[in-house]
Amino acid sequence: MTERKKPFASSLAADDRRLHSLNILLADYEPIVDLARDEALLELKQPCAVYGTRDFADHRFYKSLTMSLGPVDATQPPPDAAGEAGAAAEPAVDAAAAEAQRPDGSSYFATWACCLPVEGHARSIVCDLQRSTFAFIPNVVAEILELCKTRSVAELYAHYGHEHNREIDEYLAYLVARDFGFYCATPQPFPELDLDWRNPRPITNCVIDFGADTEQPLASLSEQLSRMFCQAVELRFFRAASADELASCAAAFGDSTIRSISLLAGDHASLDRDGLELLLRRNKRIKHIAVHSTAGRNEVIRVDMHTTIRYTSEVVSSEACCGQVSPRYFSPNVDAFTEALVRNSCLSHKVSVDARGAIKNCPSMVRSFGDVRTTPLAEVVASEAFQAPWKITKDQVLVCQDCEFRYICHDCRAYVADPEQPLSKPARCRYNPYEGRWE
Amino acid sequence: MILLLSGSGDANLDYVIEWLHHYDHPYQRINADDLLHDDFHLALAPPRLTVRQRVVDLDAVGAVWLRQFGNLRRSVYWQEAKRRVRPDALEQIAREHAVALGGLLAVLADKHWLTHPSRVHVNKLDMLQCAHKAGLVVPETHVVNRKRELAALRATGDFICKSLYEPLFLKDGSGFYAMYTTRIDAADDELISDDFTPSLVQRLIPKDYELRVFYLDGECYTMAIFSQQRARSALDFRNVDWTDPPRQVPYTLPPEVAARIRAFMTEIGLNCGSLDLVKSTDGRYYFLEVNPAGQFGMVAFPCNYPLYDKIALHLIRHDRA
């Protein structure tokens, strides 16, 4: 039973309670963790003429961009190593509880629709698209889960000749303990997730780079991107930038369809934690700030569920620093997963402006489609040549097509392992799916 | 042309607008709060509407999507006015604002409506009656105002109380009181006075899971929420910890339940709405309530249902008809 936190009735004089209704009397008190921040954000308005609103909702379903750099601390193992160890070890399963949940052999085991197994060459993962996470499973478990779609647990035992009932029970108990699936009398009412990716927006995301003396026409870009319903921009400074400069660049998107602004800038005295938090408090669209070239400071601060601040000692001197592949940049969510099935997981519906003002698919790519000062973005975006790389899926990319991470990992077409083979894997990926390890 | 009527903060309109653009279909959005900030001129007999100094050709309007077209409290205007206008005057202004909005709706009476203005606000108790008549199972429901009546009910089993009207959030100090569905515990006895104002109590339904149904034009798009997985959301899914949410998955209603929902929605004249149901541990599907202009992003996104596209296509079809 829920613990009563502090019913409203407690705040009333006994004689005043009769003037209230039951639901109000028994209403529970919910503290707001950071009231000052919450109220500051409430006062901020995010107008958008294209949507015809003077304050659009701070919606949680949007695409955010962050430049794919190395891990914050290169000496640390990639974040999935812990999960790997966990999966290899005997899962901490409350056998009795799991047993109690399983009614009988005629019941079915169903994975939650949002938990999708993806088979790789050496091992598989379950992508939990609701909680944005994943876990390793042996390939045989992915096979079992596929069989579970049409077979009861008893039929599953029979399929393996009743020789592996115990192992099957253990696997399923592990999946229940990790909340990837559940037992049910019939799987019928629980359809699989619709994996169609649908998108009405000509452009969903945009990268804009700033070199030593770049001047980007941000007001014009904001207007052009809004007409294409772009949702996310990343502004990347390959030099130090002050909090004031970042604030004024972000302010250029003050009336736009942009729901998420990511900032990357070289360290500056004004970019201490207070300075960055003030920046976040004054512009609700800013969701991520990364400060590079710090003198040894490596830290990730989670401000709230959708907002992060990151300090890295890595030096980001040009667009050539992008393209790192790491579990840090995995996106196990419905939108990214379904998009990766049919589109390129980096370039799809992206447009970029590099530090020299060239319109490109990505600043790291060679081909320029025109100068941002003279060429309208919409013209470039509509062209077949520009859209060609959008359609390269992970299932077409060599090596990646055998990798269990293929639908949650971002691609990179700018730096590929074999320049002679355009469909070769990202050059900066250190993962070997044939052996299931990071090299 | 399609008219979209709601408020500034309604993201659902943004998503439908993207699809209308995609299909290259003309539309005009009018937010209830626009009347307090932008140029707005409604002339009558014959009706003539000007928004931001541009004439809206009312004859060209074929379909109207009506959502939360009101609620002054959520507007930018309110934030300023609550500090600078006398409370009684502000109350009057809110009523006048509502009449102006109602006048615009009346002018559009002969259009195709996605949610007709006469049905956009429904009575929770009436809906329970109608659902029952349509063959849906509803929880045992009482409206009482005496503790002794409540005690007599509670002697027969567990009861919950919930708001008769839409739930309210009372801000206080560094938090708020939330009118979620609440189980009435023995420990609450001392908090409840002998008399109270008329209140809704219902027999507690032991749940397998909760169901959220978005109904559009005869179709049910359903999501199951395993709110029983978490103590704090067990009674009311809205009381959820978003950092550790219970499972939310697409769900297929038994055909007879879907048919009764269709009969119910048809009977009450709603072509669109969000319904809350509970699959009880006894296997029955209990209807709890219907929200004509309720939220449905929380169903559309986790289940990957193409609801925004469907709404755009529905509006376009009827706009052309």
Side-chain angles (χ1 to χ4, degrees):
Chain A
M1 197 48 237
T2 323
E3 201 181 315
R4 297 311 290 278
K5 280 159 281 188
K6 187 178 160 194
F8 184 70
S10 315
S11 72
L12 296 173
D15 190 44
D16 287 342
R17 291 184 191 161
R18 66 190 172 79
L19 301 174
H20 289 78
S21 68
L22 266 186
N23 191 235
I24 294 180
L25 287 175
L26 299 183
D28 275 327
Y29 189 69
E30 298 279 348
I32 298 170
V33 180
D34 186 348
L35 190 75
R37 178 175 155 77
D38 197 74
E39 284 184 339
L41 290 179
L42 267 181
E43 297 286 323
L44 283 183
K45 298 300 164 200
Q46 300 178 111
C48 174
V50 169
Y51 288 131
T53 175
R54 54 181 27 80
D55 181 28
F56 63 48
D58 190 20
H59 213 270
R60 45 190 225 98
F61 304 101
Y62 47 70
K63 182 168 192 146
S64 278
L65 294 184
T66 42
M67 184 171 179
S68 56
L69 307 166
V72 167
D73 182 352
T75 61
Q76 293 285 310
D80 72 331
E84 212 157 343
E90 198 62 25
V93 175
D94 183 344
E99 185 55 37
Q101 280 195 36
R102 184 160 67 82
D104 57 68
S106 71
S107 61
Y108 286 76
F109 181 83
T111 29
W112 300 111
C114 49
C115 295
L116 293 156
V118 179
E119 229 172 304
H121 187 271
R123 57 180 176 173
S124 300
I125 55 171
V126 181
C127 300
D128 185 339
L129 304 185
Q130 182 190 4
R131 296 183 186 147
S132 274
T133 174
F134 67 91
F136 292 99
I137 52 171
N139 280 350
V140 65
V141 175
E143 181 187 301
I144 287 173
L145 292 178
E146 186 58 36
L147 294 169
C148 281
K149 288 179 183 171
T150 50
R151 289 174 176 77
S152 69
V153 175
E155 288 164 336
L156 188 65
Y157 293 153
H159 180 87
Y160 290 100
H162 293 281
E163 280 170 32
H164 300 285
N165 295 5
R166 230 199 80 134
E167 288 94 325
I168 290 172
D169 280 351
E170 279 175 11
Y171 285 141
L172 297 185
Y174 166 75
L175 294 165
V176 170
R178 293 290 305 265
D179 197 26
F180 291 131
F182 62 111
Y183 292 103
C184 50
T186 159
Q188 233 162 12
F190 300 102
E192 290 178 49
L193 195 69
D194 177 349
L195 292 178
D196 280 352
W197 181 71
R198 305 173 192 85
N199 168 51
R201 305 167 183 134
I203 284 295
T204 58
N205 66 101
C206 172
V207 178
I208 302 168
D209 284 350
F210 294 81
D213 41 32
T214 311
E215 276 193 43
Q216 297 284 14
L218 290 180
S220 158
L221 282 170
S222 167
E223 202 232 316
Q224 294 188 64
L225 291 169
S226 292
R227 274 191 265 125
M228 295 189 282
F229 297 101
C230 181
Q231 303 288 291
V233 290
E234 184 179 28
L235 309 179
R236 311 190 300 189
F237 292 81
F238 304 128
R239 56 169 169 84
S242 69
D244 284 345
E245 184 181 7
L246 294 179
S248 92
C249 288
F253 298 92
D255 177 349
S256 74
T257 56
I258 304 300
R259 292 176 195 271
S260 163
I261 299 175
S262 301
L263 300 170
L264 172 74
D267 205 1
H268 182 275
S270 59
L271 301 186
D272 58 0
R273 182 166 175 174
D274 286 347
L276 297 187
E277 292 214 355
L278 192 64
L279 207 54
L280 292 172
R281 210 168 296 174
R282 288 188 174 158
N283 190 330
K284 206 153 60 156
R285 285 183 167 95
I286 303 175
K287 302 294 180 195
H288 303 283
I289 307 177
V291 180
H292 66 81
S293 312
T294 65
R297 183 173 185 186
N298 289 298
E299 191 185 356
V300 177
I301 302 159
R302 196 167 261 276
V303 180
D304 65 31
M305 240 172 98
H306 313 295
T307 318
T308 54
I309 292 174
R310 181 177 170 208
Y311 290 95
T312 174
S313 55
E314 201 168 337
V315 177
V316 184
S317 52
S318 79
E319 66 276 353
C321 299
C322 191
Q324 308 290 338
V325 171
S326 153
R328 159 182 302 285
Y329 303 109
F330 286 176
S331 318
N333 61 62
V334 174
D335 187 50
F337 189 100
T338 54
E339 186 173 14
L341 291 170
V342 290
R343 290 283 187 279
N344 188 270
S345 48
C346 179
L347 301 176
S348 168
H349 295 265
K350 173 190 254 97
V351 65
S352 305
V353 184
D354 78 5
R356 291 155 294 278
I359 304 171
K360 295 177 171 181
N361 287 108
C362 139
S364 295
M365 290 175 96
V366 179
R367 179 162 178 189
S368 165
F369 288 83
D371 189 289
V372 71
R373 290 162 204 87
T374 51
T375 315
L377 286 187
E379 206 171 275
V380 170
V381 163
S383 78
E384 215 166 291
F386 188 78
Q387 291 189 15
W390 294 5
K391 295 173 188 106
I392 302 170
T393 66
K394 281 284 189 190
D395 284 323
Q396 296 164 7
V397 175
L398 303 172
V399 184
C400 292
Q401 59 194 200
D402 297 320
C403 177
E404 59 273 24
F405 301 127
R406 62 191 177 277
Y407 304 130
I408 59 173
C409 182
H410 68 86
D411 193 32
C412 178
R413 288 298 94 204
Y415 308 112
V416 293
D418 175 5
E420 300 298 307
Q421 171 48 273
L423 286 178
S424 59
K425 71 176 262 188
R428 292 170 184 175
C429 170
R430 297 275 161 265
Y431 184 67
N432 178 342
Y434 303 103
E435 292 173 18
R437 59 188 174 83
W438 296 87
E439 288 168 342
Chain B
M1 186 180 63
I2 293 166
L3 265 191
L4 309 167
L5 307 179
S6 191
S8 262
D10 190 351
N12 297 296
L13 264 72
D14 306 353
Y15 299 133
V16 167
I17 282 171
E18 291 169 357
W19 285 106
L20 292 175
H21 257 272
H22 179 76
Y23 295 119
D24 199 18
H25 195 93
Y27 67 88
Q28 166 86 44
R29 175 179 185 162
I30 302 176
N31 302 300
D33 44 310
D34 290 348
L35 274 64
L36 302 155
H37 299 277
D38 297 339
D39 293 342
F40 176 91
H41 185 168
L42 176 65
L44 295 174
R48 189 184 146 86
L49 175 66
T50 315
V51 177
R52 290 175 216 106
Q53 297 187 322
R54 281 177 55 192
V55 175
V56 179
D57 182 0
L58 293 173
D59 290 332
V61 174
V64 190
W65 188 23
L66 177 63
R67 285 186 47 79
Q68 295 141 357
F69 197 48
N71 202 349
L72 203 57
R73 284 170 182 277
R74 268 191 223 145
S75 66
V76 174
Y77 166 84
W78 187 266
Q79 286 181 1
E80 185 185 5
K82 72 183 177 195
R83 287 192 285 264
R84 301 175 56 181
V85 181
R86 284 168 52 129
D88 46 2
L90 192 51
E91 207 173 303
Q92 176 68 0
I93 291 163
R95 287 194 211 103
E96 292 190 313
H97 177 247
V99 172
L101 297 175
L104 176 56
L105 300 184
V107 159
L108 299 163
D110 61 342
K111 310 298 184 190
H112 171 84
W113 289 88
L114 189 59
T115 308
H116 194 270
S118 66
R119 307 310 294 161
V120 77
H121 295 290
V122 294
N123 181 300
K124 218 176 254 189
L125 301 174
D126 182 31
M127 289 303 106
L128 286 163
Q129 285 284 351
C130 293
H132 174 67
K133 276 189 212 150
L136 289 164
V137 184
V138 300
E140 181 189 325
T141 302
H142 304 266
V143 179
V144 294
N145 66 349
R146 294 290 179 264
K147 192 178 187 176
R148 61 167 195 282
E149 296 283 337
L150 181 64
L153 290 172
R154 288 179 52 211
T156 68
D158 285 328
F159 276 78
I160 58 99
C161 70
K162 62 191 262 187
S163 164
L164 272 164
Y165 190 64
E166 289 150 28
L168 182 69
F169 297 87
L170 297 175
K171 206 152 187 197
D172 189 39
S174 58
F176 59 92
Y177 289 99
M179 313 292 152
Y180 297 124
T181 297
T182 313
R183 175 166 150 162
I184 308 169
D185 288 331
D188 295 328
D189 265 346
E190 55 182 286
L191 298 171
I192 302 172
S193 39
D194 290 341
D195 306 346
F196 41 84
T197 59
S199 297
L200 174 59
V201 297
Q202 291 181 316
R203 191 175 291 281
L204 180 107
I205 314 292
K207 289 177 198 173
D208 265 349
Y209 37 81
E210 274 182 64
L211 299 169
R212 290 289 146 99
V213 181
F214 181 71
Y215 176 92
L216 175 65
D217 222 4
E219 290 294 319
C220 291
Y221 303 90
T222 309
M223 176 172 83
I225 307 167
F226 285 73
S227 43
Q228 300 308 93
Q229 287 183 327
R230 306 282 181 274
R232 59 177 278 177
S233 62
L235 276 171
D236 192 325
F237 169 64
R238 289 165 302 190
N239 191 6
V240 65
D241 174 2
W242 284 111
T243 60
D244 182 24
R247 288 302 182 191
Q248 303 162 56
V249 292
Y251 190 80
T252 310
L253 285 170
E256 65 277 12
V257 177
R260 283 172 191 154
I261 288 175
R262 259 193 300 279
F264 163 67
M265 295 294 274
T266 307
E267 179 59 32
I268 61 174
L270 277 176
N271 50 6
C272 170
S274 299
L275 299 95
D276 296 349
L277 282 84
V278 159
K279 162 90 182 323
S280 92
T281 50
D282 67 11
R284 296 205 283 178
Y285 291 82
Y286 284 84
F287 166 87
L288 298 184
E289 58 183 86
V290 58
N291 298 295
Q295 296 303 325
F296 56 91
M298 47 85 76
V299 173
F301 290 99
C303 298
N304 201 26
Y305 289 141
L307 299 185
Y308 298 105
D309 191 9
K310 296 265 184 196
I311 288 169
L313 290 172
H314 171 100
L315 292 167
I316 291 171
R317 199 166 57 242
H318 288 277
D319 195 41
R320 288 186 179 139

